[in-house]
Amino acid sequence: QVQLVESGGGLVQPGGSLRLSCSASGSIFSINDMSWYRQAPGKQRELVAAITGGGRTNHATSVKGRFTISRDNAKNTIYLQMNSLKPEDTAVYYCRMTLYGHYHWGKGTLVTVSS
C-alpha cells in the first residue's frame, strides 16, 4: 500500500524560502513519476512541478525560476525548494505518485506566505 507523507510547510514572509519534503513508502519509488500540486482556498488544484523516475523535471510557469523539484531515491523522498515566495503561493501543497497508471496522494502540507 502506497503512503505519501508531506512535511515542511509553515508560515513564511514574502520573499522567504521553504523546502517541502514528501516521503514515500510501499512502492518501488525510484521508477515512479512524482509531482507536487497545490490548492489555494476557493481554487482548483494545480500542478506545481513534476519529476520522472529518470529525473526529468517540469515546472509550472508561475513558479519557474523560484521553485525546484528534486528527488533522492535512496531516501524515497522528493523535495520542493521554494524561494522568493509570494502571497499567491499560499496553498495546501500535495505530493502525488503515479503508479501503474494510478494516482496516489498525500494529505498535504499548508504553506502560508504573509507578512
Side-chain angles (χ1 to χ4, degrees):
Q1 185 174 356
V2 174
Q3 186 174 11
L4 302 173
V5 179
E6 302 97 334
S7 62
L11 173 64
V12 62
Q13 292 187 341
S17 298
L18 282 175
R19 189 176 82 154
L20 305 183
S21 301
C22 172
S23 296
S25 62
S27 176
I28 306 174
F29 175 84
S30 62
I31 64 172
N32 300 133
D33 294 345
M34 303 289 295
S35 51
W36 286 100
Y37 280 73
R38 68 185 180 187
Q39 187 167 18
K43 295 188 176 181
Q44 289 189 329
R45 194 171 295 189
E46 63 175 0
L47 176 66
V48 176
I51 185 166
T52 67
R56 186 176 301 176
T57 63
N58 181 43
H59 297 80
T61 301
S62 60
V63 306
K64 199 168 290 186
R66 300 188 298 123
F67 292 10
T68 303
I69 189 171
S70 62
R71 68 191 298 157
D72 185 338
N73 290 337
K75 295 182 178 180
N76 285 356
T77 301
I78 65 166
Y79 304 96
L80 185 68
Q81 178 65 45
M82 307 187 294
N83 300 327
S84 303
L85 282 159
K86 305 175 181 180
E88 51 264 43
D89 295 319
T90 295
V92 177
Y93 284 71
Y94 298 91
C95 173
R96 190 186 83 173
M97 173 188 287
T98 303
L99 178 63
Y100 303 124
H102 296 279
Y103 298 141
H104 301 269
W105 294 89
K107 294 183 178 181
T109 184
L110 176 63
V111 172
T112 303
V113 184
S114 175
S115 55

